[in-house]
Amino acid sequence: MNKHKKDWKSKTGFCFGIVLPFIGILFVASTLRAPLTALGPVLTEISKSLNLSNSEAGFLTTIPLMAFAFLSILVGQLSKKLSLEKFLLFSIALLIAGLYIRIMGTVVTLFLGSAILGIAICIGNVLVPGYIKKTFPNKSGMVIGFYSVSMNLTAALASGFSIAIGKLSGLGWKGSLGIWIWIAVFSFLIWLPIVLKRTKNIEETGIVKSNLNIFKSPLAWQISIFMGLQSLMYYSLVTWLPMLLQGFGMVKEESGWVLSFMQMAMLPLTFLGPIIASKLTNQKSLIFVVAAGMFISVLLILFFQLQYIYTAVILFGISSGLSFSLSMMFFVLRTADSHTATRISGMAQSVGYLLAAFGPPIFGSLYEYGETWNLSLYFLLIMIVIMFFVGLKAARNHLIK
């Protein structure tokens, strides 16, 4: 009888301590980018429907990024006092509300919903790396790999199917953006039993409190700036690439799939990148790969437009996937405990997304200023060079102290 109880407790512990958290991480990841990447292909449709200018449309991506920028530090601080599991569950509920409000059909609700879902995604972005380090301390690289793949796979599918979903649903852009409500609801249902079954013992496992002031650490700033610049590159293209390609003469439906190809190309490196990075003494060689890939891809678009566009976006996707996974791994590799990992995640995403938030509106405004996409693409080339030198500093084998 006692053996049966022990076996049952062991299986229950494995389910609620390992399996459900792992599945929960994958589903949270699926909601952290897709609601934003689904926006790009239907941005023209939204602009026409609600009479938005290019700069105003660019702010639909910028508003969530600004939420990431201004609230990530606060989330990192609150994580010292609140349960990570409960905090994540709250973020999913908030996301559901934001997704619903965003598609209510007015300019006010569009921007309000974007702000609310930005707050929700911000919480998930900050907490998940620390939660992974806490729950899977010996498999962090692999779990972050799966987390990154889930995030970027759903982001790619969101871009590729965004227009088709709108047509099939008969709801246009509202259908394209509204479908993610159901994914968020399912994610909520997975996390609910995790929160309800969480015990004090599980809550305290792997958490070491630290009074370290990470804002005094040069390494923390280098990680944060690298995080921001690679995000700036990603969100600028996610927001404007379909419209840029349509300006070069590509049909609207194909432009969405080109963006999807870019994000599909991210998948292999988002999975393998953390595993490779965790086995290297330092990650400088990976920084070289990231910078070279991004620089060449932007040059191809700048000088050849549609001629080598699939080569360019696949190369950019590979580089972006590696840069994103490196950012996530820096939170783990450069910290000694899960609490510090959560705090550097909060700082990096706050500082980083503050930088990234300027990307889409600057990219769009440069087009309006010069009436050509060349200035926008030169802007990206300059950002890549800066990212390269900062990344080399962040890739050194040191801990945040």
Side-chain angles (χ1 to χ4, degrees), residues 21-33 88 121-132 140-154 191 227 267 270-271 274 324-325 327-329 331 345 349 353:
F22 179 73
I23 296 173
I25 288 167
L26 297 185
F27 271 90
V28 166
S30 72
T31 64
L32 296 183
R33 273 195 174 178
L88 281 167
I121 293 173
C122 166
I123 296 171
N125 279 334
V126 172
L127 296 185
V128 171
Y131 182 75
I132 290 173
S140 294
M142 183 178 295
V143 176
I144 284 179
F146 279 108
Y147 163 72
S148 300
V149 167
S150 178
M151 182 183 297
N152 290 292
L153 176 60
T154 51
W191 276 94
M227 170 78 185
L267 298 182
T270 53
F271 178 70
F324 174 76
S325 61
S327 298
M328 295 295 104
M329 280 306 294
F331 303 155
S345 177
Q349 297 193 62
Y353 284 121

Side-chain angles (χ1 to χ4, degrees), residues 7 39 79 91 152 219 241 246 289 326 341 358 381:
D7 289 343
L39 184 65
S79 69
S91 74
N152 290 292
L219 179 55
L241 185 62
Q246 291 165 31
V289 173
L326 272 176
F358 289 99
L381 291 175

Side-chain angles (χ1 to χ4, degrees), residues 12-89:
T12 302
F14 179 74
C15 179
F16 286 99
I18 302 295
V19 177
L20 271 183
F22 179 73
I23 296 173
I25 288 167
L26 297 185
F27 271 90
V28 166
S30 72
T31 64
L32 296 183
R33 273 195 174 178
L36 302 181
T37 61
L39 184 65
V42 295
L43 199 57
T44 303
E45 183 182 346
I46 295 172
S47 297
K48 289 180 180 178
S49 173
L50 298 176
N51 297 314
L52 302 178
S53 68
N54 280 357
S55 297
E56 289 170 335
F59 274 103
L60 288 175
T61 300
T62 297
I63 286 174
L65 297 183
M66 293 299 284
F68 302 166
F70 290 114
L71 297 178
S72 292
I73 292 176
L74 178 61
V75 173
Q77 294 299 320
L78 287 175
S79 69
K80 293 190 293 184
K81 301 178 180 180
L82 301 176
S83 155
L84 290 177
E85 292 87 349
K86 288 181 179 178
F87 211 171
L88 281 167
L89 186 68

Side-chain angles (χ1 to χ4, degrees), residues 95-130:
L95 179 66
I96 295 169
L99 289 168
Y100 180 76
I101 292 171
R102 185 169 66 161
I103 62 170
M104 291 179 70
T106 70
V107 173
V108 172
T109 56
L110 179 67
F111 282 92
L112 177 62
S114 297
I116 293 172
L117 71 88
I119 294 169
I121 293 173
C122 166
I123 296 171
N125 279 334
V126 172
L127 296 185
V128 171

